[in-house]
Amino acid sequence: MINIFKLSKDSIMKKVENAGFPAYRGKQLIDWIYNKSVFDVESMTNLDKEFKEYLINNIKFVTLETLKIIEDDKSETIKFLLLLGDRNTIEMVIMRYKDKDSSKNRNTLCLSSQVGCKVKCPFCATGTDGLVRNLKAEEIVQQVTIANSFLKKYDTKINNVVFMGMGEPFFNKDEVLKAASLIKENYEISSRKITISTSGVIEGIKELADKELKYVLAVSLHAPTDRIRDFLVPINKKYPLNELIKACRYYQTKTKKRITFEYIMINGMNIWPDDARQLANLLKGIDCHINGIPVNSVSDSEFERPKKKDIYSFKKMCEKYGLSFSIREEKGTDIEGACGQLKNKERK
Ligand code: SAH
Ligand code: SF4
């Protein structure tokens, strides 16, 4: 049995033809899955009995199950708890940005690449228990199918994908890059709309550069000095700032693409005037944008969200030094939208 979400459209066509069915059957199958978001063979009404039997006996369609969906009042943030075949659970979040002109609506899917994470950033709920296992490419791709299937009721689809859910994508690099390429091809989502967020795994950044893959690179920087970053992003001890920034410069020389730096904002920790100055120094000459993320407090944690005025004064200082800086829209905080939070709550 092969999982359908491992296959590109071309390989689906080949497989169907090799099994002795006409090409239009392959096209119908692709239409059910990728246009109609239907995965139950019995509901694929225009297929004949023989082809359905072949599919049921040879192809696996769904291995992820939806355990729970939490939708906020305005249905702007929809959070999913998903069950994997081996009973582990992961989360994903749909963020909907509605525009007056509905053709400009954006639906972003924040998906997971691992169960747990070994990086163990102290503010992050995902890292609490370390790494459980990597996701397979097909388990990553299937998250998009589940999201699209949910969005059918709003007559819309996912058009942006961010690897910002559970896990460090570059510690599962091969499956993540396989999944990203399948998402790009099968869902026709361009590389410019696929973001990979890394805590700073240098091999991953170099591979994007060397292969000239045009995904958007986001780096979770969070601090301008090794002293603070060693604490906030513990793999900084393995990949210190000077090497990380060197890799980012290499990436930019190769791809000419702008880099996003994520910067979690924590009260009393990393938003002092001196941090803004050092940050500007560190990033000098890199074409980049900084995404300030006011920290979401994970239950009884020591990490406190700064006051609004402190958040804005840090932004102003960074801008004064010439950095492009935006504050991430707060979505999902009321439904435990930060990665790993829902899962931990369910377990309790
Ligand atoms: N492991 C990768 C991608 C997943 S985390 C990485 O760290 O980049 C995606 C983003 O969510 C990261 O920038 C991370 O720092 C942020 N994040 C994690 N926990 C958070 C919290 N409690 N509040 C706000 N942002 C958080
Ligand atoms: Fe892992 Fe990212 Fe969470 Fe850090 S922030 S523990 S790298 S998922």
Side-chain angles (χ1 to χ4, degrees), residues 123-124 163-165 167-168 197-199 220 222 262 264 296 298:
F123 53 81
C124 171
F163 284 83
M164 291 187 185
E168 167 46 57
S197 171
T198 178
S199 54
S220 290
H222 305 331
E262 291 155 285
I264 202 158
N296 264 317
V298 182

Side-chain angles (χ1 to χ4, degrees), residues 55 58 64 86 177 193 232 278 281 289 303 316 318 326:
L55 294 177
N58 293 282
L64 265 65
D86 62 358
L177 293 180
K193 303 211 158 164
L232 287 180
Q278 285 176 310
N281 242 338
H289 177 77
F303 302 100
K316 276 233 170 66
C318 290
S326 63

Side-chain angles (χ1 to χ4, degrees), residues 195-238:
T195 298
I196 301 182
S197 171
T198 178
S199 54
V201 180
I202 286 176
E203 294 85 354
I205 299 174
K206 285 202 175 134
E207 186 161 332
L208 286 193
D210 287 333
K211 292 193 171 157
E212 294 184 36
L213 294 171
K214 302 281 182 185
Y215 304 121
V216 180
L217 173 66
V219 176
S220 290
L221 195 60
H222 305 331
T225 59
D226 284 319
R227 191 180 56 82
I228 314 177
R229 198 165 189 273
D230 278 351
F231 171 64
L232 287 180
V233 190
I235 61 157
N236 191 66
K237 291 178 199 127
K238 183 166 175 209

